[in-house]
Amino acid sequence: MARPRKPLLSTDRIVETARDLVDREGLAAVSTRRLAAELGVSGPSLYNHFRTKDEILEAVADSVSALVDLSMFEDGRDWRTALHDWAVSYRAALRDHPNIVPVLARGPGRRPAALRLADAVYGAMVDAGWPPAQATSIGALMRYFIMGSALGSFAGGFVDDASAYDPADYPHLGQAHLLAEQQEKIDERAFETGLAALLDGLAQQYRQTRV
């Protein structure tokens, strides 16, 4: 009986394996040797697809950008609704893959999915009547806000030990030890609150540009 063949090595398989490794153990865990071991191949075989570890991480980052829904910029939603829905989708992708955010934060570079994302946002804002310079600023500030929200949890940053918050030193943090257990709820509410405030401010600016 013939032995089962190993799955053929492909760019997609390397990226998927690298993304899983980053998700589990962080960026520092990625090396060509470790990836080769995870894939069950020899290290040099990876170089047929990627020249360096950095190229692999760039591809992983772009695979996460590709998860972001862009349909809201094409289906007739008004610019504010489209920005809101896109921001929610973008944050969801980053929340599922937080360890790759530092690579994404460098900017799109030459990554195709990231460039399509930037093009969709900018194009939608210009089509909605925003001046090009302001459309650029909107894309930038949305990226700052969304990525910042994905870099860490506010609620999860507080320890669940009540003794850490001596009322003599921190008179207003008597309930801070309870924040961690409500982490997801608090972080989601904070994101939606900030996003609404941001969009309210943009709506006011937009009305001024139409006068």
Side-chain angles (χ1 to χ4, degrees):
M1 181 182 296
R3 287 186 295 179
R5 295 178 59 191
K6 291 182 180 178
L8 292 175
L9 191 61
S10 67
T11 297
D12 288 344
R13 186 169 168 237
I14 294 169
V15 171
E16 181 179 350
T17 301
R19 186 174 62 227
D20 289 344
L21 182 57
V22 171
D23 288 344
R24 294 195 318 266
E25 301 182 31
L27 294 171
V30 179
S31 68
T32 53
R33 178 177 296 182
R34 177 69 186 278
L35 272 177
E38 294 273 331
L39 289 159
V41 300
S42 63
S45 63
L46 297 179
Y47 296 117
N48 294 323
H49 301 271
F50 295 99
R51 292 175 296 176
T52 65
K53 181 185 83 169
D54 284 345
E55 282 192 359
I56 295 172
L57 291 177
E58 287 287 308
V60 169
D62 212 39
S63 74
V64 173
S65 292
L67 299 174
V68 181
D69 184 14
L70 299 177
S71 64
M72 64 284 297
F73 297 119
E74 302 170 352
D75 61 9
R77 274 173 261 191
D78 65 272
W79 69 265
R80 176 175 174 150
T81 301
L83 272 185
H84 175 277
D85 296 348
W86 167 71
V88 171
S89 177
Y90 199 173
R91 182 171 180 267
L94 301 188
R95 185 185 57 218
D96 291 342
H97 305 281
N99 291 334
I100 199 63
V101 172
V103 179
L104 286 164
R106 299 172 191 166
R110 296 177 180 273
R111 299 193 298 268
L115 289 169
R116 284 193 294 271
L117 187 155
D119 181 74
V121 175
Y122 177 79
M125 295 306 99
V126 170
D127 289 346
W130 284 97
Q134 286 179 284
T136 299
S137 296
I138 290 170
L141 74 88
M142 294 296 290
R143 191 168 73 87
Y144 298 152
F145 175 70
I146 296 165
M147 288 196 177
S149 74
L151 284 173
S153 164
F154 171 81
F158 291 85
V159 299
D160 60 0
D161 178 4
S163 67
Y165 309 102
D166 188 328
D169 296 321
Y170 315 109
H172 305 295
L173 296 182
Q175 301 296 308
H177 64 288
L178 302 176
L179 291 175
E181 66 185 38
Q182 298 292 323
Q183 175 179 331
E184 183 174 351
K185 180 179 180 180
I186 292 170
D187 290 346
E188 287 291 334
R189 188 171 62 216
F191 177 76
E192 283 291 347
T193 299
L195 181 58
L198 188 156
L199 293 173
D200 283 345
L202 286 177
Q204 183 175 355
Q205 289 186 32
Y206 184 75
R207 287 192 293 271
Q208 293 170 352
T209 68
R210 313 301 287 180
V211 175

